[in-house]
Amino acid sequence: MGKDVIIACDFASAAQTFAFLDRFTETRPFVKIGMELFYAEGPAIVRGIKERGHKIFLDLKLHDIPNTVKKAMAVLSGLDADIVNLHAAGGLDMMRAAAEGLTRPDGSRPLLIAVTQLTSIDQQRMESELLIRRPLEDVVLHYAENAKAAGLNGVVCSPLEAGRIHEVCGQAFLTVTPGIRFAEGASGDQQRVTTPEKAKTLGSDYIVVGRPITGAADPVSAYRRCLAGFIG
Ligand code: C5P
């Protein structure tokens, strides 16, 4: 899989999601299914979107003891997602167990990536709310190194951190980056934001874009604008 724009389909129902995806008549964008939609509709939503020909990033951000995560990942391995994720904060054993659980009997598995620090967290919040008193960049990099050591394929991070992560973890280690906004757009609850163009120069492999596309008057044009800015 090459560089791509992933649309965060943060909708409350299958009906809303399919109505949104129906607008894309010429392309089948890569789609991210998050907690809201998955909890509302269950595994059927993954199969339904996949049947329409979309690639899927199943963004459920698992975080629990290793055994529980391993078993949950074994269930998710039966869905045909292309990317699945968890929180790196769960630790090395949890990440290793997750990779094991996600591996199918034939040895294949979806790409597995780890959330480093949410892009809604900035230095000040990390220090005051999480009591992590190290530079945010170092924390993100350390989590990325842990993810690599556990055999994962990459991380979710801010585009601002993608370059350094590639330097340390290698070019093949994926950086999947939310926190994308058009230059003139509102940042909402995201703290560490960049444009699609900037994400490209910073070396992101995939950008994840939600509200700038789903909330646009013309989502297809907004998606095309992201593609043009990120891929060129
Ligand atoms: O609407 P917006 O573009 O902010 O959507 C970003 C998407 O990426 C949301 O679905 C959010 O859950 C997800 N995400 C994130 N930061 C992370 C991991 C995932 O914003 N670190």
Side-chain angles (χ1 to χ4, degrees):
M1 294 197 287
K3 299 213 170 206
D4 210 346
V5 173
I6 303 178
I7 304 180
C9 282
D10 292 324
F11 296 111
S13 69
Q16 278 176 39
T17 308
F18 290 134
F20 171 77
L21 292 176
D22 281 345
R23 303 176 74 138
F24 294 81
T25 50
E26 287 163 20
T27 47
R28 292 281 174 271
F30 206 132
V31 162
K32 182 172 86 67
I33 300 173
M35 291 185 231
E36 182 185 11
L37 187 56
F38 190 81
Y39 293 157
E41 299 288 352
I45 190 68
V46 181
R47 297 192 189 99
I49 296 178
K50 194 78 195 187
E51 272 164 21
R52 289 174 165 228
H54 299 268
K55 284 189 182 141
I56 292 176
F57 169 17
L58 189 54
D59 177 24
L60 299 181
K61 299 188 181 70
L62 277 70
H63 188 174
D64 207 318
I65 58 171
N67 186 53
T68 302
V69 169
K70 181 177 173 179
K71 287 180 172 171
M73 285 292 185
V75 176
L76 296 182
S77 75
L79 301 176
D80 200 12
D82 298 279
I83 306 179
V84 175
N85 70 351
L86 45 61
H87 270 286
L92 274 163
D93 282 351
M94 188 202 76
M95 289 194 273
R96 287 194 193 101
E100 227 179 290
L102 196 59
T103 304
R104 304 181 186 104
D106 67 0
S108 69
R109 71 158 165 78
L111 294 172
L112 179 59
I113 62 176
V115 175
T116 51
Q117 278 292 343
L118 296 172
T119 40
S120 55
I121 299 283
D122 60 11
Q123 182 73 40
Q124 197 266 328
R125 279 175 200 270
M126 194 182 69
E127 288 185 19
S128 66
E129 297 175 21
L130 308 181
L131 294 186
I132 301 174
R133 299 208 168 94
R134 295 283 292 265
L136 181 63
E137 241 190 42
D138 293 1
V139 176
V140 168
L141 197 61
H142 181 62
Y143 284 8
E145 288 179 289
N146 280 353
K148 182 155 192 211
L152 270 57
N153 304 96
V155 286
V156 183
C157 61
S158 158
L160 303 168
E161 295 136 8
R164 185 89 184 99
I165 289 172
H166 279 138
E167 261 172 48
V168 173
C169 298
Q171 290 304 318
F173 192 71
L174 298 174
T175 53
V176 178
T177 66
I180 303 296
R181 293 293 178 266
F182 295 126
E184 75 284 6
S187 64
D189 54 351
Q190 298 282 19
Q191 303 290 335
R192 291 152 34 226
V193 298
T194 51
T195 61
E197 291 78 5
K198 188 92 202 295
K200 176 186 181 178
T201 49
L202 290 169
S204 298
D205 293 297
Y206 294 90
I207 54 171
V208 176
V209 189
R211 289 161 289 182
I213 295 176
T214 56
D218 182 349
V220 178
S221 308
Y223 171 68
R224 287 214 190 97
R225 187 176 165 195
C226 289
L227 275 180
F230 183 59
I231 295 168

